[in-house]
Every structure is written in C-alpha cells, then in structure tokens.
Amino acid sequence: MPHATRCLDVAASKRRRGNAPSVVLKPAARAWPMLTLPGDLHELILQCLAVSDIGELSGLQQQSRHAFKRSYKVHFFATFCKPIRLGGQLQMRAARSSLQTTQATSEIVNIGVDVPLDWAAKVPQRELAGSLLAALPLPKSAVWSAAIVMGFTFSKPRGTAKEFQNSMASVDPQFLEVVSATDHRAIHHMPTHIFNQSRLNLLHLPCELDLPWVQKFRNKPEALYAEFWEWADVLPSLPAEVETIGDLHLDANGLDDWNEGILPVKTVRQLGLNVRTSRDQVTWTPADVLRRVLATFPNLKRVGTNLEFTYGHDSANENILLLIQAFIAAGIEVVLGEVVLVKLPSSSKRRNASLDNLAKQLGAIDGCPFVKPRAKTMKDNNGYLQPRVPAALMLRLTPVMQNVIADSMWKSVW
C-alpha cells in the first residue's frame, strides 16, 4: 500500500472517532479511488506526508486535487568541492532523504549540495540558486516556488584563484546567511558584493584572523565562530551587532586564554562552550566558572555546549554536571550537542555501564535537554579530539547545515 494511502486511512479513522462522516480509502492497483474529501481533512492528511509523497495524491479526483497542491522554497547549502576536471561531481547531498523527511505542510526544504568549483565559476553572478534548482529532481505535483543559496563552505576545492572568486560571486548575497570559510583562500578572494550586501546569520572562520577583516562586512554578522581566536583579546573590539560567539574552551585548568580584566560585553546573548577535562585534576568550581562567564556576558540567555566526560574520573565528571545545573539555575537555557565518554575501558560491559550511569545523571537534571551519551574513540574526526560540530553552530544552524560544515571541517583541503 502506498505511504500516502496509509496516511489517508489513518486520517479518516481519526475523523470517525470524532463522530464525523466516515471516509474509507482502499488502495487500487497503481491508481487512487475517485473521492471527495471533507475540507478539514486536508491539513491532517498533509501532516502525515512528506514532500516526496505529494506525487501520490495525483490520483485524486479534480475537485479534491487542488486542496493538496503545494509549493516549496528550496534552501540550498553549497559545498564548493574539487573541479569536474579533477573528478568532482554535482551532487545533491541527501536530497531524497530531505524530501522524504520534510513534512508536506512545511514551506521550506533544506538541501545540501556539492558544487564543483569550475562548474560554479561558469554560472553568471548571483544565479547559482537557479542553476541548482534546474538540477534538482522534482516530485510529481510539487512546485518549487523559489530557491536560494543561503550558505556555502568548502571541501577539497583546489581550483584556481579565479574559479574561487567566481564561484562565490555566483551566490546572491541578498539571501546569504552563512559563510563558512573552511578554505583559507576564501578569505583572500571574497567578492566585494558579499561584503557590501550580505546579512550573515553566522560567519565561520577556521583560522586566527584579525577583526579588521570582519569589519569589512557592511552589515556585521550576528554570530562569529572562530577556531583559534583568543577571545580575551577579541572581545573588547567585538562589533555590537554580534550576539553569538564561540567557541570558548573550558579545560581542567579553567577557561582557556581568559583573564579577569575583560570588560562586560552586554551585546552577547548566546555562547558556544566546549567542556573537556581529559585526565587532569579539575581546578575550577562550577560557581567560579558561572561567575566569570556572567561577569563578561551579563545578558547571556543561551549556552550551547559540547561535553566530554572521562571514564573513571568521577570527580571531574561531577563538576561538569554541576556546571550545567548552575547555568540552568541562573536562568540560562542550555543546548546540548555532543556528549561523549573518552579514555574508554577495554571491557565493553564497564563502558556500557558507565554510559548508562551518565545518561541517568543527565536525565535527572531539571530543564536540561537529554542527549544520549556515546563512546568516543580516536577514530572519530580523523583522530582529532575536538567535537565534530562546534557548539556555536548548534545555536544558529539547522542540522543539515551543521552536518555539511562539519564534513568540510574534518577533511583536508589538499
């Protein structure tokens, strides 16, 4: 039985339970029955369907078919990859999965796409979205009302400097929300119209960079993520428009590269924080970390955090849990990202018991979103210990964008 047919059966049975006229749908071979549906069932049915199921409604009789016509906006997140001449391919990243998991009542479909650098370089300025839309498989009876490229990053792009610049120039800056400069050359070849016309939700910089480059944006980014910035030096000159920063790092010795002399930054309301203690003895207390954070960011509302617990270090692990409780008690929303256990024992039984205990402790914290802890080995992130998705990105981006950027971060450019 087709998926959409099953959903119509469910919707009809729900209506019957409400003493409404019954509607019984029985699937025919490759055809839908001729029927007229009560109007209040249309939205209920669509809530049971995905975008990819819309085509199955084409068998409805004419007077009912119009009720299920839907148009969708496509938001592309582009990963500029190696040129076609070097083996690159234009690939819609999990496009089928996006169409199957996006509810039919949604207005937007988010799709990641790998775009060869030389292919994008040949697209006229600002017209990349239209070219990508033409390559997108179209479900029957679905209509794309609009398409935009709302962000881009890089993954092994190679290519020439001219291709680099032209590929970025093919993006319309008016709809651009995210720039992830995972290739350092993007910084040197950023088109002028992106500086002048974009309004970025997030600027991701994988390298240590001076704020004067960020100041080139006429409209300053709302969020800044940088991997190697010393925030204690950056914060005094932080643009007032920036309300989300990250990531700060909390290790066994306290906040990394921090000092007590930082003036309050009242514009920052969201903070990315990575917490890991490794095997070292923790020298900080939750109350002390909270005091330092709130002294610097007095208007803080949300903290996105990745947590790394160490097997067998119960005291350090308890401090991390108490810190989460302290944030929540202070009225700060906590968004959990990656929750991992490292330095694993050889015994899988002891490892699983430790993970179960950690899950119970997290679940017992009132107001804390539950994320199932997992074991982390050196095979993750190509041997790097950092979290796969930076904490600041979780606060601003959809899961599709998070995964696309994370994939590009953990691949060597060359």
Side-chain angles (χ1 to χ4, degrees), residues 243-318:
E243 67 172 33
T244 303
I245 66 167
D247 285 352
L248 271 64
H249 300 278
L250 177 63
D251 57 25
N253 297 317
L255 289 168
D256 191 31
D257 295 319
W258 205 252
N259 62 61
E260 293 285 357
I262 304 175
L263 295 175
V265 184
K266 297 182 180 180
T267 56
V268 171
R269 291 173 171 79
Q270 300 189 99
L271 178 68
L273 178 67
N274 291 321
V275 183
R276 62 186 301 262
T277 61
S278 191
R279 296 180 176 179
D280 300 325
Q281 184 68 32
V282 171
T283 61
W284 50 266
T285 65
D288 182 53
V289 171
L290 180 65
R291 177 186 63 80
R292 289 174 180 244
V293 169
L294 291 182
T296 306
F297 310 110
N299 294 322
L300 189 65
K301 302 299 182 185
R302 298 175 79 213
V303 170
T305 182
N306 292 306
L307 305 178
E308 181 184 288
F309 295 88
T310 306
Y311 177 80
H313 290 247
D314 296 340
S315 177
N317 294 343
E318 184 179 0

Side-chain angles (χ1 to χ4, degrees), residues 21-98:
S22 63
V23 178
V24 180
L25 306 179
K26 297 182 179 180
R30 299 185 177 274
W32 281 59
M34 300 296 288
L35 57 115
T36 300
L37 294 174
D40 59 349
L41 274 181
H42 297 151
E43 287 300 314
L44 178 59
I45 292 169
L46 286 171
Q47 289 173 16
C48 300
L49 301 178
V51 173
S52 59
D53 296 320
I54 291 295
E56 295 186 24
L57 299 173
S58 59
L60 293 172
Q61 69 180 46
Q62 190 64 38
Q63 58 262 43
S64 293
R65 190 184 307 172
H66 72 278
F68 295 101
K69 289 189 70 174
R70 285 296 186 274
S71 61
Y72 301 95
K73 299 176 183 177
V74 183
H75 286 190
F76 290 109
F77 195 94
T79 299
F80 293 117
C81 59
K82 61 185 177 181
I84 293 176
R85 65 176 181 274
L86 299 178
Q89 292 181 325
L90 180 66
Q91 293 183 328
M92 299 292 172
R93 186 187 294 262
R96 184 180 298 275
S97 174
S98 295

Side-chain angles (χ1 to χ4, degrees), residues 179-182 184 187 202-211 213-214 221-235 238 242 244-249 256-257 271-274 386-387 389-393 396 405 409:
V179 169
S180 174
T182 46
H184 295 198
I187 295 169
L202 174 75
L203 176 60
H204 167 213
L205 301 171
C207 59
E208 187 172 351
L209 193 67
D210 292 332
L211 272 178
W213 187 85
V214 179
E222 295 181 8
L224 272 179
Y225 169 76
E227 293 180 37
F228 302 110
W229 273 8
E230 295 183 1
W231 287 104
D233 298 332
V234 172
L235 289 175
L238 191 72
V242 178
T244 303
I245 66 167
D247 285 352
L248 271 64
H249 300 278
D256 191 31
D257 295 319
L271 178 68
L273 178 67
N274 291 321
Q386 292 97 323
V389 178
L393 270 60
R396 308 291 303 201
I405 292 178
M409 286 176 62

Side-chain angles (χ1 to χ4, degrees), residues 84-407:
I84 293 176
R85 65 176 181 274
L86 299 178
Q89 292 181 325
L90 180 66
Q91 293 183 328
M92 299 292 172
R93 186 187 294 262
R96 184 180 298 275
S97 174
S98 295
L99 295 174
Q100 291 174 342
T101 57
T102 301
Q103 195 175 66
T105 52
S106 301
E107 296 181 355
I108 296 172
V109 179
N110 294 296
I111 296 178
V113 54
D114 293 338
V115 185
L117 205 67
D118 53 351
W119 186 90
K122 296 176 182 177
V123 174
Q125 282 197 13
R126 306 168 185 260
E127 296 186 13
L128 181 60
S131 298
L132 293 176
L133 187 62
L136 182 65
L138 182 69
K140 295 178 180 178
S141 300
V143 176
W144 304 131
S145 61
I148 63 171
V149 176
M150 48 82 61
F152 63 79
T153 186
F154 299 86
S155 178
K156 297 184 178 181
R158 305 183 186 181
T160 66
K162 189 67 173 175
E163 287 173 335
F164 236 91
Q165 188 168 30
N166 288 349
S167 64
M168 290 186 286
S170 69
V171 178
D172 190 337
Q174 296 182 73
F175 304 106
L176 189 60
E177 297 182 13
V178 180
V179 169
S180 174
T182 46
D183 188 297
H184 295 198
R185 295 174 295 168
I187 295 169
H188 304 295
H189 300 291
M190 188 72 66
T192 302
H193 66 262
I194 290 183
F195 285 123
N196 293 338
Q197 299 177 27
S198 65
R199 294 180 178 273
L200 296 184
N201 179 30
L202 174 75
L203 176 60
H204 167 213
L205 301 171
C207 59
E208 187 172 351
L209 193 67
D210 292 332
L211 272 178
W213 187 85
V214 179
Q215 297 286 4
K216 291 182 180 180
F217 287 88
R218 180 175 295 173
N219 302 297
K220 304 302 182 288
E222 295 181 8
L224 272 179
Y225 169 76
E227 293 180 37
F228 302 110
W229 273 8
E230 295 183 1
W231 287 104
D233 298 332
V234 172
L235 289 175
S237 303
L238 191 72
E241 296 87 345
V242 178
E243 67 172 33
T244 303
I245 66 167
D247 285 352
L248 271 64
H249 300 278
L250 177 63
D251 57 25
N253 297 317
L255 289 168
D256 191 31
D257 295 319
W258 205 252
N259 62 61
E260 293 285 357
I262 304 175
L263 295 175
V265 184
K266 297 182 180 180
T267 56
V268 171
R269 291 173 171 79
Q270 300 189 99
L271 178 68
L273 178 67
N274 291 321
V275 183
R276 62 186 301 262
T277 61
S278 191
R279 296 180 176 179
D280 300 325
Q281 184 68 32
V282 171
T283 61
W284 50 266
T285 65
D288 182 53
V289 171
L290 180 65
R291 177 186 63 80
R292 289 174 180 244
V293 169
L294 291 182
T296 306
F297 310 110
N299 294 322
L300 189 65
K301 302 299 182 185
R302 298 175 79 213
V303 170
T305 182
N306 292 306
L307 305 178
E308 181 184 288
F309 295 88
T310 306
Y311 177 80
H313 290 247
D314 296 340
S315 177
N317 294 343
E318 184 179 0
N319 258 21
I320 296 175
L321 293 169
L322 290 174
L323 177 62
I324 299 302
Q325 290 177 308
F327 277 123
I328 295 174
I332 298 171
E333 179 187 355
V334 174
V335 179
L336 290 185
E338 186 175 274
V339 180
V340 299
L341 182 68
V342 299
K343 310 297 181 185
L344 304 171
S346 57
S347 168
S348 59
K349 185 176 181 180
R350 284 186 292 168
R351 178 197 64 201
N352 292 338
S354 183
L355 287 170
D356 290 342
N357 182 55
L358 183 57
K360 291 179 181 178
Q361 290 177 298
L362 281 170
I365 300 177
D366 290 336
C368 180
F370 180 74
V371 174
K372 185 177 181 180
R374 67 176 181 84
K376 184 174 183 178
T377 69
M378 287 300 293
K379 293 181 180 179
D380 292 356
N381 298 350
N382 296 328
Y384 291 94
L385 294 176
Q386 292 97 323
R388 183 174 184 272
V389 178
L393 270 60
M394 298 183 305
L395 296 170
R396 308 291 303 201
L397 305 183
T398 66
V400 169
M401 290 185 282
Q402 292 177 30
N403 287 326
V404 170
I405 292 178
D407 286 346

